[in-house]
């Protein structure tokens, strides 16, 4: 395969992985520790991710338990979760923090599906931009023969269509997960 097509494929795979990461942060019927990814709390003057200073478990399908390695970190972690505004109030206990996810209403599910759809459309736009940039590189290259250029463009289109199919499949799976009671 042509190096231009390989580079395009790598960039598109990164875009699809990014979409999966964004989907994992969306709320669904079950509690997911990924919803806490990116939430930073104050740790001796520094900002640090919650999962780096605590163990996060899921004792029940709609509950997360955060057990800090040091009991002094309970209040900063609870404050960071509250400040992140993820829609769940932390319940601080003696040595852990519980996050109990209430059942999602139909409206909440629809709103979350809309968020997922927006993320999907953003990923598709990114994929099309990657395609456009690589097609421009191919057209500017005067050293390619016309036959070779056509073959590379066909390979590029196949990579793009495969990536868009992966994005659509990821969206369909996430939509099903969100709408499942």
């Amino acid at each position: 395969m042509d190096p231009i097509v390989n580079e395009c494929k790598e960039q598109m795979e990164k875009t699809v992985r990014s979409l999966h990461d964004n989907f994992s942060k969306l709320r669904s019927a079950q509690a997911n520790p990924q919803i806490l990814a990116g939430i930073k709390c104050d740790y001796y003057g520094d900002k640090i991710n919650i999962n780096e200073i605590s163990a996060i478990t899921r004792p029940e399908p709609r509950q997360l338990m955060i057990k800090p390695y040091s009991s002094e970190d309970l209040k900063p972690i609870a404050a960071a979760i509250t400040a992140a505004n993820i829609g769940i109030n932390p319940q601080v206990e003696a040595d852990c923090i519980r996050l109990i996810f209430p059942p999602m209403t139909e409206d909440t599910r629809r709103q979350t599906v809309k968020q997922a759809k927006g993320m999907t459309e953003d990923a598709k736009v990114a994929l099309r931009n990657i395609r456009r940039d690589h097609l421009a590189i191919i057209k500017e290259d005067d050293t390619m023969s016309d036959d070779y250029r056509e073959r590379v463009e066909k390979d590029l289109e196949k990579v793009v269509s495969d990536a868009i199919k992966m994005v659509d499949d990821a969206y369909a799976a996430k939509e099903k997960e969100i709408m499942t009671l």
Side-chain angles (χ1 to χ4, degrees):
M1 207 179 271
D2 191 73
I4 294 172
V5 176
N6 283 335
E7 180 186 337
C8 180
K9 187 174 183 178
E10 288 174 13
Q11 289 180 2
M12 289 189 177
E13 287 171 353
K14 286 180 185 176
T15 301
V16 172
R17 279 194 304 269
S18 175
L19 178 69
H20 282 285
D21 290 344
N22 289 340
F23 278 173
S24 68
K25 294 175 186 173
L26 285 177
R27 190 162 166 230
S28 61
Q30 295 190 2
N32 184 354
Q34 282 297 106
I35 200 166
L36 300 174
I39 298 177
K40 297 181 182 284
C41 72
D42 192 34
Y43 184 73
Y44 298 106
D46 284 336
K47 293 287 186 184
I48 192 160
N49 287 330
I50 291 174
N51 62 351
E52 294 177 18
I53 59 172
S54 63
I56 302 172
T57 58
R58 193 174 86 176
E60 295 177 19
R62 290 192 351 220
Q63 187 179 114
L64 290 179
M65 185 166 60
I66 305 165
K67 193 164 179 115
Y69 301 131
S70 170
S71 61
E72 296 171 1
D73 298 329
L74 278 171
K75 287 184 181 176
I77 290 173
I81 293 170
T82 302
N85 198 16
I86 58 173
I88 294 146
N89 291 325
Q91 297 176 355
V92 180
E93 296 178 0
D95 62 343
C96 68
I97 299 170
R98 288 189 191 274
L99 298 177
I100 299 173
F101 291 73
M104 293 176 74
T105 64
E106 187 69 26
D107 289 339
T108 309
R109 289 176 194 280
R110 286 197 177 117
Q111 284 298 107
T112 307
V113 167
K114 281 183 186 177
Q115 282 182 303
K117 184 68 172 171
M119 291 175 182
T120 302
E121 291 305 318
D122 291 345
K124 286 182 180 181
V125 167
L127 293 173
R128 290 182 190 116
N129 288 339
I130 293 168
R131 174 183 57 192
R132 182 196 64 220
D133 295 344
H134 285 80
L135 283 173
I137 291 170
I138 292 169
K139 288 185 177 161
E140 290 173 2
D141 191 353
D142 294 334
T143 61
M144 285 187 191
S145 68
D146 289 339
D147 291 340
Y148 183 70
R149 181 175 287 130
E150 285 180 26
R151 190 175 70 215
V152 170
E153 286 177 1
K154 284 181 184 177
D155 290 346
L156 197 61
E157 287 301 320
K158 174 148 179 35
V159 168
V160 171
S161 63
D162 290 347
I164 288 177
K165 183 176 180 346
M166 285 192 289
V167 166
D168 287 337
D169 291 346
Y171 170 72
K174 189 63 180 181
E175 181 182 30
K176 183 178 178 186
E177 177 187 334
I178 291 168
M179 295 307 284
T180 301
L181 298 174

